[in-house]
Amino acid sequence: MILVFCELKDGQIRKPSAEALSEGRRLADAAGKPLGALFAGASCAGSAEAAKYGADVILTAEGPTLASYSSDAFATVIADAVKAKGATVLLAAATAVGKDMAPRAAARLGAGYASDVTGLSIVDGKLQAIRPVYAGKAFATTTFASAVQVATTRPNVFPAAEKPGAGVAETLAAPVGDFKSVVKEILAKASGKVDLSEANVIVSGGRGMKDGTNFKILEALADAIGGVVGASRAAVDAGWGLPHSMQVGQTGKVVSPTLYIACGISGAIQHIAGMSGSKFIVAINKDSEAPIFKLANYGIVGDLFEVVPELTKAAKAMGIGKN
Amino acid sequence: MKILVALKQVPDTETKIKVAADGRSLDPADVKWITSPYDEYALEEAIRTKESKGAEVVALSVGGDSTKDVLKNALALGADSAVLLRGDGQGDAFAVAQIIAGYAKDKAFDLILCGNKGLGGDNAAMGPMLAELLGIGQANVIVMLELSEGSFKAERETEGGSEIVEGALPAVITAQKGLNEPRYASLKGIMAAKKKTIEELDAVPVTTGTQIIALSLPPERPAGRKLEGDAAAQAQALIQALKDEAKVF
């Protein structure tokens, strides 16, 4: 069996999990194996949706010990499910939870682990992964030495495709015990917006923004086109009051949106490493020689303080972001 | 309190990646090696804990002779002692976790700190694997850490927000940018470090979980085009192109 750990939010499968599940279906077909979707929580209401993405079996573990996330409780559920089902491949999305739990579960299973993969295939019956290294400056083709193979899939890379499966429901026991580290509180999010790593459109500002307060023009553009605002390391380290969670680059977030608009970003190697996986790149910079233009599908040589508000205006005039 | 800080030596962020002749590893020519930046936050947190609460800080790395630079730097910054586990520090995360677990298992560390990922390998896996192998708790991608007698409270970065994780010590805590602002080594620290010796031990035998069979560079991006005219015309042309050519909207 190929088993995919899935996360629910407000009773729905999270998009990165739906992507992992769809990739799991593709691999299951290639390997001639069934696909299992695995859920854990106080309630797994909504898990039936996994059938839509091709799950043959939907495994749910419900119980009070799974109400709050804890790495060892979740790793226990997952490792036990892998053993019980004789699964050879375990996938999860490379989300905050996925990246916390999957390596722990892999170590418990004595399994090799490939994180944040952007490509998966079955070669001679074994899983093979392609994953970005050096923040996307290179790609490593990775094979597994272990019988069980664990991987997390990078959000926004694998398409979520609907392909109905039998979706036979099966319940698993929730783990009992005293867990070593538990999430006690979810702190209020700054906004209801998606995280940079999952965003489809990113508007990013660099040193050319001159001050943190000027990022409001990027916010306005992002709002108009359904995007999220990011920043370069130069901007985050400039002392403008921008949180490091906004940072895109090798020492920040590595992103792969459909559209990345770089405003006043020259294109340092470490920034490019974090965003060169974007499908379309737009660069807006005063300096026509800025290295960022080498990557850009569309370049605008000009003053971002003039161009960005015009973009917002043009997007609104053309009804972008309304559908 | 006894703190272990695991440090990894990695290529500098400005490194232009070249593939070695074997087709599956990094060409080390012209590479400047540094301590992984996330590990620097881990080390700084250990030193601050030592300064505020009193602690013994042991810096550890897995590798060969060149890896000693990372440990010398840690000693200069304030680590009390340093251990080099001779083995393949560039091996997969599972192998490195086994090597460190083999060393740490009977040393009664109260806290193990490392970066949330090693720059370059980008696995973000060694810390959680080490916690599992040692049978202790974990908190990853941490931007705030409070230590009490036998327990910890940490703020962990998640998608677009954060959460508070509490747990028992010992635990593995992996650091994220924002946890602190690492200091520079003082001349006095550098001089003092020269007098300290680095303990060298052979790494325990391990099993590898994964293997890199090929390393390749990303495909060249197609040549782009520059949009002409004044700001309004450029903006209009861009939105139109994104809509009609790229079909982003």
Side-chain angles (χ1 to χ4, degrees):
Chain A
M1 178 177 280
I2 288 180
L3 198 57
V4 181
F5 171 74
C6 301
E7 295 169 58
L8 290 163
K9 196 182 175 203
D10 305 326
Q12 288 194 309
I13 296 179
R14 290 190 61 199
K15 185 169 167 269
S17 297
E19 294 166 2
L21 204 48
S22 298
E23 182 61 10
R25 179 69 264 169
R26 210 183 58 77
L27 295 173
D29 288 341
K33 288 187 172 154
L35 175 69
L38 172 62
F39 295 82
S43 158
C44 296
S47 58
E49 193 193 349
K52 203 166 87 179
Y53 300 104
D56 297 305
V57 185
I58 299 172
L59 304 162
T60 53
E62 291 184 337
T65 50
L66 297 167
S68 296
Y69 175 74
S70 85
S71 54
D72 42 354
F74 275 63
T76 300
V77 168
I78 288 148
D80 288 355
V82 167
K83 285 185 222 160
K85 292 284 150 193
T88 49
V89 172
L90 169 67
L91 301 182
T95 58
V97 163
K99 287 194 279 190
D100 195 78
M101 159 283 292
R104 185 155 193 140
R108 187 164 306 178
L109 293 162
Y113 169 59
S115 68
D116 218 10
V117 304
T118 55
L120 287 169
S121 53
I122 301 284
V123 179
D124 299 330
K126 294 281 285 180
L127 188 66
Q128 194 164 300
I130 294 176
R131 50 182 307 272
V133 289
Y134 306 104
K137 287 185 212 170
F139 287 83
T141 305
T142 305
T143 56
F144 294 79
S146 51
V148 178
Q149 308 153 96
V150 183
T152 49
T153 54
R154 173 171 290 192
N156 258 352
V157 171
F158 299 93
E162 295 193 14
K163 190 176 185 220
V168 178
E170 216 177 291
T171 54
L172 300 171
V176 286
D178 185 16
F179 298 106
K180 295 166 195 103
S181 48
V182 178
V183 172
K184 291 288 183 190
E185 188 185 349
I186 310 281
L187 299 182
K189 293 188 178 186
S191 67
K193 288 184 182 143
V194 295
D195 188 62
L196 283 170
S197 59
E198 293 172 25
N200 203 33
V201 174
I202 295 174
V203 181
S204 231
R207 209 190 299 268
M209 293 303 296
K210 298 198 173 102
D211 196 354
T213 56
N214 293 333
F215 273 68
K216 61 180 183 289
I217 65 169
L218 303 188
E219 290 285 355
L221 175 58
D223 284 345
I225 59 176
V228 182
V229 176
S232 72
R233 182 169 75 184
V236 170
D237 287 352
W240 296 343
L242 302 171
H244 63 87
S245 58
M246 278 177 78
Q247 188 183 321
V248 173
Q250 195 169 2
T251 52
K253 299 228 162 84
V254 176
V255 298
S256 47
T258 306
L259 174 62
Y260 189 90
I261 304 181
C263 308
I265 292 174
S266 63
I269 288 179
Q270 80 88 27
H271 184 76
I272 287 172
M275 46 66 81
S276 59
S278 308
K279 198 159 172 218
F280 290 97
I281 295 171
V282 172
I284 304 169
N285 206 299
K286 268 200 297 206
D287 175 10
S288 64
E289 300 298 312
I292 189 83
F293 284 118
K294 290 199 184 76
L295 267 79
N297 302 80
Y298 302 104
I300 293 181
V301 179
D303 182 350
L304 71 93
F305 294 103
E306 287 174 25
V307 175
V308 171
E310 288 291 344
L311 279 173
T312 309
K313 217 187 332 178
K316 281 183 179 162
M318 290 168 73
I320 306 294
K322 292 278 184 286
N323 47 348
Chain B
M1 177 170 277
K2 204 169 152 190
I3 305 174
L4 179 67
V5 186
L7 302 162
K8 185 179 182 188
Q9 191 174 45
V10 300
D12 182 78
T13 53
E14 294 303 314
T15 305
K16 203 160 166 20
I17 301 298
K18 278 181 262 169
V19 180
D22 67 4
R24 59 191 189 90
S25 63
L26 171 71
D27 181 352
D30 307 324
V31 172
K32 185 184 162 209
W33 295 90
I34 58 166
T35 302
S36 179
Y38 301 102
D39 296 346
E40 291 186 339
Y41 305 118
L43 178 62
E44 177 66 28
E45 197 66 13
I47 297 165
R48 288 187 189 196
T49 304
K50 173 181 159 177
E51 288 165 350
S52 63
K53 293 176 163 18
E56 181 196 343
V57 177
V58 179
L60 172 147
S61 196
V62 181
D65 284 334
S66 65
T67 315
K68 285 182 185 170
D69 289 345
V70 163
L71 296 170
K72 279 180 204 154
N73 182 50
L75 289 169
L77 288 165
D80 296 294
S81 59
V83 181
L84 175 69
L85 300 179
R86 285 199 170 269
D88 184 4
Q90 307 297 323
D92 95 324
F94 190 38
V96 175
Q98 290 168 71
I99 291 172
I100 299 175
Y103 166 79
K105 65 178 195 294
D106 53 6
K107 304 278 191 304
F109 288 106
D110 300 289
L111 176 64
I112 299 178
L113 283 160
C114 61
N116 77 81
K117 63 178 177 185
L119 195 83
D122 298 347
N123 294 294
M126 201 288 287
M129 287 179 157
L130 178 60
E132 172 63 25
L133 295 174
L134 292 171
I136 60 178
Q138 69 187 45
N140 296 308
V141 202
I142 294 309
V143 293
M144 184 280 294
L145 179 64
E146 275 175 27
L147 298 167
S148 311
E149 193 62 44
S151 67
F152 72 87
K153 182 178 172 182
E155 182 179 346
R156 155 180 151 75
E157 205 178 272
T158 57
E159 287 97 355
S162 65
E163 60 193 20
I164 299 291
V165 183
E166 290 180 20
L169 294 176
V172 174
I173 306 282
T174 70
Q176 167 67 325
K177 182 174 184 179
L179 177 60
N180 52 45
E181 198 55 57
R183 70 194 66 193
Y184 292 99
S186 65
L187 189 59
K188 193 173 152 227
I190 294 167
M191 296 314 286
K194 285 192 172 153
K195 295 193 191 101
K196 292 183 186 167
T197 52
I198 294 170
E199 186 184 0
E200 295 182 41
L201 299 167
D202 287 330
V204 295
V206 295
T207 51
T208 302
T210 58
Q211 220 172 7
I212 294 174
I213 57 162
L215 189 68
S216 56
L217 299 179
E220 289 282 325
R221 292 190 68 93
R225 64 180 171 97
K226 294 229 169 98
L227 304 169
E228 307 295 337
D230 65 7
Q234 288 172 319
Q236 186 69 30
L238 176 62
I239 300 291
Q240 200 74 55
L242 290 173
K243 196 165 178 250
D244 300 341
E245 293 171 22
K247 306 201 186 313
V248 172
F249 302 126

